[in-house]
C-alpha cells in the first residue's frame, strides 16, 4: 500500500482576531514540536493569515486559507485569489467546504474552477465533499460523493506533485458532536478513493490523502485513524484550543 503522510488540518472558520490567531499558532507550534510522522496545517481567516504566517515561520506547520476566488485578479469585491494566498505564505486552500456550499451558494462548478486555479498556482487544494442528513437518509450518500468528486475535478490535470487532498465531511457531523463511526467513515473514504481511481487513475488515487472532518476530537481521533483509507482530519471546533488540537495531532496512542 502507498505510504500517505497523515495530515491534521485545523479550520478556524470565522474565529480569532489576527492577534488571537497569532498567539494560538505560536502556542500550537510549541505544543506539537517534535511530533513525528504527521503534517500539521492551520487555516485562519484571511485577515489573520499574516500574523499566523509570522508565528509559524520555521516551525514546519503549514498555512492554509479557507476559500479563494478562481480568477487571479479583477473586479470581485470582497474576494481573494490564489496568487495572493501564495504570496501571503499559504501552501493549502480549503475548497468547497459545506458551509461555503450551503451558506454562500458554491456549486460543484465554482469549486471545480477554484481547484483548477489553486493547482495552477501551486496551492494544494483540500477539496471538501460530503452528504447531508437528508441525502444519507435517502440512501444517496455514495451517489453524492461520486458526483462531488467527479465534478470537482472534471477536466483538471492532477499530478502527484499537485498535493491534492480530499476531505470527507458529512454535513450532519460538522459542529454537531455527532462524529461518524470509524466504519461509516471508512466506507465513505473507500468509495471516494474508488471514484478518484476512475477520475485520476489508480496510482494517484492511492497516493491522495483523504481526510475525515466532522466533530473530530482528541478522544475519537485514534480510532478513526486506524481505518485504512483515513489519512488525517479536518478539524473545526476542536482546533480552536491549541491544547485540544495538539491532542489530535498526537493521535498515536503509543
Ligand atoms: P467540526 O468542523 O470539527 O467543528 O465539526 C469540521 C469542519 O467543518 O471542517
Amino acid at each position: 500500500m502507498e505510504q500517505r503522510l497523515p495530515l491534521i488540518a485545523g479550520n478556524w472558520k470565522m474565529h480569532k482576531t489576527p492577534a488571537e490567531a497569532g498567539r494560538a499558532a505560536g502556542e500550537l507550534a510549541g505544543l506539537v514540536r517534535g511530533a513525528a510522522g504527521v503534517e500539521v496545517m492551520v487555516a485562519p481567516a484571511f485577515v489573520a493569515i499574516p500574523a499566523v504566517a509570522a508565528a509559524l515561520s520555521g516551525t514546519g506547520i503549514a498555512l492554509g486559507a479557507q476559500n479563494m476566488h478562481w480568477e487571479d485578479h479583477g473586479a470581485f469585491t470582497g474576494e481573494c485569489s490564489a496568487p495572493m494566498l501564495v504570496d501571503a505564505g499559504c501552501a493549502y486552500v480549503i475548497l468547497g467546504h459545506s458551509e461555503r456550499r450551503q451558506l454562500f451558494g458554491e456549486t460543484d462548478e465554482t469549486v471545480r474552477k477554484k481547484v483548477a486555479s489553486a493547482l495552477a498556482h501551486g496551492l494544494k487544494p483540500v477539496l471538501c465533499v460530503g452528504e447531508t442528513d437528508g441525502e444519507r437518509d435517502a440512501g444517496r450518500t455514495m451517489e453524492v460523493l461520486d458526483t462531488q468528486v467527479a465534478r470537482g475535478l472534471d477536466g483538471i490535470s492532477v499530478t502527484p506533485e499537485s498535493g491534492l487532498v480530499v476531505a470527507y465531511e458529512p454535513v450532519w457531523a460538522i459542529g454537531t458532536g455527532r462524529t461518524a463511526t470509524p466504519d461509516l467513515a471508512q466506507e465513505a473514504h473507500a468509495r471516494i478513493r474508488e471514484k478518484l481511481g476512475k477520475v485520476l487513475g489508480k496510482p494517484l488515487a492511492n497516493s491522495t490523502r483523504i481526510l475525515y472532518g466532522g466533530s473530530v476530537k482528541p478522544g475519537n481521533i485514534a480510532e478513526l485513524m486506524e481505518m485504512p483509507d483515513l489519512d488525517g482530519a479536518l478539524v473545526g471546533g476542536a482546533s480552536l484550543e491549541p491544547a485540544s488540537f495538539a491532542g489530535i495531532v498526537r493521535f498515536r496512542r503509543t
Side-chain angles (χ1 to χ4, degrees):
M1 200 184 69
E2 288 276 342
Q3 274 301 100
R4 297 182 295 263
L5 180 67
L7 172 63
I8 304 292
N11 174 7
W12 286 352
K13 307 192 179 182
M14 199 174 74
H15 294 284
K16 299 188 191 296
T17 64
E20 290 165 350
R23 272 198 301 275
E27 215 179 300
L28 176 70
L31 291 170
V32 304
R33 189 173 299 132
V38 61
E39 185 183 0
V40 183
M41 181 267 269
V42 288
F46 286 137
V47 73
I49 285 174
V52 174
L56 295 182
S57 170
T59 65
I61 299 177
L63 181 60
Q66 301 172 14
N67 179 37
M68 57 171 234
H69 196 276
W70 58 86
E71 294 289 347
D72 290 359
H73 47 76
F76 302 104
T77 302
E79 294 289 324
C80 245
S81 71
M84 295 174 189
L85 297 179
V86 170
D87 188 66
C90 290
Y92 287 91
V93 60
I94 298 168
L95 296 175
H97 188 280
S98 66
E99 285 151 19
R100 300 293 321 167
R101 292 179 191 257
Q102 299 205 313
L103 305 174
F104 301 98
E106 291 215 20
T107 63
D108 286 329
E109 177 55 12
T110 59
V111 173
R112 188 191 67 76
K113 290 197 243 181
K114 292 178 181 197
V115 171
S117 170
L119 291 176
H121 291 282
L123 269 176
K124 298 172 194 166
V126 179
L127 168 61
C128 300
V129 300
E131 81 286 1
T132 62
D133 232 347
E135 287 162 345
R136 177 159 286 272
D137 289 348
R140 295 186 48 225
T141 297
M142 300 304 157
E143 168 201 330
V144 168
L145 298 180
D146 281 355
T147 304
Q148 290 182 342
V149 168
R151 293 199 182 147
L153 297 172
D154 188 32
I156 295 175
S157 133
V158 182
T159 66
E161 293 70 41
S162 301
L164 170 72
V165 175
V166 178
Y168 169 57
E169 298 213 307
V171 179
W172 46 268
I174 296 178
T176 59
R178 282 176 64 200
T179 318
T181 62
D183 286 341
L184 189 146
Q186 168 57 27
E187 184 188 27
H189 283 230
R191 177 64 171 238
I192 291 168
R193 201 175 304 285
E194 188 186 323
K195 188 67 185 177
L196 285 173
K198 289 178 189 150
V199 177
L200 306 176
K202 264 211 149 131
L204 203 43
N206 283 336
S207 64
T208 299
R209 291 177 292 184
I210 305 176
L211 313 184
Y212 168 76
S215 299
V216 172
K217 302 184 249 323
N220 59 26
I221 184 68
E223 57 176 13
L224 285 161
M225 290 302 291
E226 276 167 19
M227 296 295 116
D229 285 296
L230 213 141
D231 310 311
L234 183 53
V235 188
S239 72
L240 294 174
E241 273 295 319
S244 110
F245 191 47
I248 297 171
V249 170
R250 297 182 180 278
F251 63 87
R252 288 186 182 86
R253 286 182 170 130
T254 49

